[in-house]
Amino acid sequence: MSVETETATYPVTPRNRVRRMHERASYDREAVHAVLDAAMLCHVAYVIDGQPYATPTLFWRKGDTLYWHGSSASRMLRHLKAGTPACLTVAHLDGLVLARSGFNHSANYRSAMCFGTARLVEDPEEKNEAMRDVIDRFYPQRSALLRPITPQEAKATTIIAMPIDEAVAKVRAKGVGDDEEDFALPIWAGVIPVTTVLGAVEPCHRLVPGIDRPETLSLFPEGGRLDDSLLTGQRLYDGG
Amino acid sequence: MSVETETATYPVTPRNRVRRMHERASYDREAVHAVLDAAMLCHVAYVIDGQPYATPTLFWRKGDTLYWHGSSASRMLRHLKAGTPACLTVAHLDGLVLARSGFNHSANYRSAMCFGTARLVEDPEEKNEAMRDVIDRFYPQRSALLRPITPQEAKATTIIAMPIDEAVAKVRAKGVGDDEEDFALPIWAGVIPVTTVLGAVEPCHRLVPGIDRPETLSLFPEGGRLDDSLLTGQRLYDGG
């Protein structure tokens, strides 16, 4: 079952229903998208001949469809025209939570798990669009500035699409969650925040003289948070 | 087949042999461990009733065995005493690589995929040790300072272990890899570094007066790289 219309929440089924720490879970589309759109790296789980694989890959979201690049599943998918079940997961680590008991140690995080059927993108028009999107979703309007893709490159590129059938976001974003009676113990507790940040851009040392950095790269300021840049990039991509 | 002795490399089989970008791959134990030990967050892939799951979770390495906390697979594992095939993957995003063609856009990263059979840790001694290790591997000597774990907490804790049968590391750590003839094009190219860093520690606002931060937390200096802290932590854990 695909989510064809813009409902506020994804359906809840045995596949995505959260059992552990369910108070952290949300099936809300906006909550799921907020986690996905703040990332460019995901992990996709497939099964090939009974063996599960968790493959890290760059991905992007277009409405309720997730796209990613060729992967270990592409050989398999060439033979599975109907597609194969997959799970695409994003997780951001936001903090280390040190409690007064081992049991209450935790982490702050934002995660999203998306379930659906992955298929090869074979339609030439959808594939061309995806090959532009994989650039422009991250680097606004950049694809038009580049040396055009060659037929051989297009042939060597595998793109996989998965409409999100079900999804769930899980978020922990708070301080130490000790048992009430443990707060009185003479034990240090606290949170160590964790952030993924951008460094100073390193221009290619073979740039042709006089080539300036494109203005749109101001989306990635030195010292800025990667997730903020990616969320802004997604809004530009959705809007353009 | 488990790696019982300290061989320099993991065996190469159809399961872990890299086909795409194989020049980035290494089956070397030290290379795999270097990627694993720099992380606390992994993604584990399982299959439950034909459906793959990629579950984000904290994990740690003890020799050639990987351990992690209860997960969606724990219900399944209770019924599968012989264990179930799993794949534990770690990926660090280190940089965004903007090339002169779409095809040569890339990312700098370090990843490791580990394959084996996951099993529940049921032996009380192994489980007690694991419940200490999940603290001390990340926060040196901290378990001894904490309120002891209760029998109910131990019962509510699920620990999963997976000896690494096969593994592969993949690393890209370089500048723009354009086609030779493209370097002459008047197009900007470069690398945007990405780093995951530690923020200022936020002490719990309910600390008992006079409780100082434990000295071992100097392992997590404000502004430091999380991966550096975790690598150092693993060395202390291996040595202790």
Side-chain angles (χ1 to χ4, degrees):
Chain A
M1 179 181 63
S2 277
V3 179
E4 298 290 350
T5 53
E6 292 254 332
T7 53
T9 59
Y10 288 107
V12 181
T13 73
R15 197 158 62 160
N16 66 328
R17 188 167 57 83
V18 166
R19 290 158 183 91
R20 268 188 91 241
M21 303 288 184
H22 53 82
E23 71 284 3
R24 297 180 187 168
S26 168
Y27 305 95
D28 187 77
R29 287 176 79 254
E30 280 189 20
V32 170
H33 293 182
V35 174
L36 296 173
D37 298 350
M40 68 194 304
L41 180 71
C42 71
H43 286 72
V44 183
Y46 312 96
V47 193
I48 304 180
D49 296 334
Q51 170 69 48
Y53 290 80
T55 304
T57 188
L58 302 190
F59 81 104
W60 69 103
R61 179 181 71 81
K62 190 160 201 168
D64 265 306
T65 300
L66 302 173
Y67 288 92
W68 63 94
H69 252 267
S71 72
S72 56
S74 56
R75 280 164 301 136
M76 169 186 64
L77 278 170
R78 252 176 264 288
H79 300 282
L80 290 177
K81 295 291 175 185
T84 191
C87 169
L88 184 151
T89 299
V90 160
H92 305 273
L93 180 64
D94 292 327
L96 318 181
V97 181
L98 288 78
R100 294 164 181 82
S101 66
F103 194 73
N104 286 319
H105 275 63
S106 187
N108 283 334
Y109 63 89
R110 289 162 288 156
S111 71
M113 294 177 77
C114 301
F115 299 92
T117 300
R119 62 172 172 81
L120 271 191
V121 174
E122 298 189 289
D123 174 72
E125 203 164 316
E126 185 184 9
K127 189 169 172 182
N128 279 335
E129 189 171 284
M131 287 187 296
R132 284 193 304 271
D133 285 342
V134 64
I135 302 297
D136 291 340
R137 181 268 175 263
F138 298 109
Y139 314 114
Q141 304 159 38
R142 183 166 174 80
S143 69
L145 305 174
L146 300 175
R147 187 265 288 152
I149 194 159
T150 67
Q152 298 94 304
E153 287 175 341
K155 204 176 155 195
T157 301
T158 306
I159 303 219
I160 294 174
M162 184 183 88
I164 305 174
D165 289 340
E166 294 142 37
V168 59
K170 259 177 108 174
V171 174
R172 188 193 193 279
K174 57 178 187 181
V176 177
D178 265 314
D179 295 354
E180 189 50 41
E181 62 272 26
D182 289 347
F183 281 105
L185 295 173
I187 299 171
W188 189 90
V191 175
I192 305 174
V194 172
T195 325
T196 297
V197 297
L198 305 162
V201 171
E202 299 164 356
C204 177
H205 66 281
R206 293 180 66 182
L207 283 185
V208 170
I211 295 294
D212 286 334
R213 190 182 303 176
E215 257 185 46
T216 53
L217 283 191
S218 61
L219 184 59
F220 298 95
E222 181 179 352
R225 291 177 63 119
L226 175 64
D227 53 4
D228 284 347
S229 298
L230 294 171
L231 282 168
T232 305
Q234 181 78 32
R235 278 195 295 270
L236 293 168
Y237 172 65
D238 287 342
Chain B
M1 181 178 62
S2 277
V3 179
E4 299 290 350
T5 51
E6 294 253 333
T7 52
T9 59
Y10 289 107
V12 181
T13 74
R15 196 158 64 159
N16 65 329
R17 188 166 58 82
V18 167
R19 290 157 183 93
R20 268 187 92 241
M21 303 287 185
H22 54 82
E23 72 283 3
R24 297 181 186 168
S26 168
Y27 306 94
D28 187 77
R29 287 176 79 253
E30 280 189 19
V32 170
H33 293 180
V35 174
L36 296 173
D37 297 350
M40 69 193 305
L41 179 71
C42 72
H43 286 72
V44 183
Y46 311 97
V47 191
I48 303 181
D49 297 334
Q51 170 69 47
Y53 291 80
T55 303
T57 189
L58 302 191
F59 81 104
W60 70 103
R61 180 181 70 81
K62 189 159 203 168
D64 267 305
T65 299
L66 302 172
Y67 288 91
W68 62 94
H69 252 268
S71 71
S72 55
S74 56
R75 281 163 300 136
M76 170 185 65
L77 277 169
R78 253 175 263 289
H79 300 282
L80 291 177
K81 296 291 176 188
T84 190
C87 168
L88 185 150
T89 299
V90 161
H92 306 271
L93 180 63
D94 292 327
L96 318 181
V97 180
L98 289 79
R100 294 163 181 84
S101 66
F103 194 73
N104 285 319
H105 275 63
S106 187
N108 283 333
Y109 64 89
R110 289 162 288 157
S111 71
M113 294 177 77
C114 301
F115 298 92
T117 300
R119 63 172 171 82
L120 272 191
V121 173
E122 297 188 291
D123 175 72
E125 202 163 319
E126 186 184 8
K127 189 169 173 183
N128 279 334
E129 189 171 285
M131 287 186 296
R132 284 193 304 272
D133 285 342
V134 64
I135 302 297
D136 292 340
R137 180 268 175 263
F138 297 110
Y139 313 114
Q141 304 159 37
R142 182 165 175 80
S143 69
L145 305 174
L146 300 175
R147 187 265 287 153
I149 194 160
T150 68
Q152 298 95 303
E153 287 175 340
K155 204 176 156 196
T157 302
T158 306
I159 304 224
I160 295 174
M162 184 183 86
I164 304 174
D165 289 340
E166 294 142 37
V168 59
K170 259 176 108 173
V171 174
R172 188 193 193 279
K174 58 179 186 180
V176 178
D178 266 314
D179 295 353
E180 189 50 41
E181 61 272 26
D182 288 347
F183 281 104
L185 295 172
I187 300 171
W188 189 90
V191 175
I192 305 173
V194 172
T195 324
T196 297
V197 297
L198 304 162
V201 171
E202 299 164 358
C204 177
H205 66 280
R206 294 180 65 182
L207 283 185
V208 169
I211 296 295
D212 286 332
R213 191 182 301 176
E215 257 183 48
T216 52
L217 283 190
S218 61
L219 184 58
F220 298 94
E222 181 179 352
R225 291 177 64 119
L226 174 65
D227 53 3
D228 284 345
S229 298
L230 294 171
L231 282 167
T232 304
Q234 180 77 33
R235 277 195 296 269
L236 294 168
Y237 172 64
D238 287 342

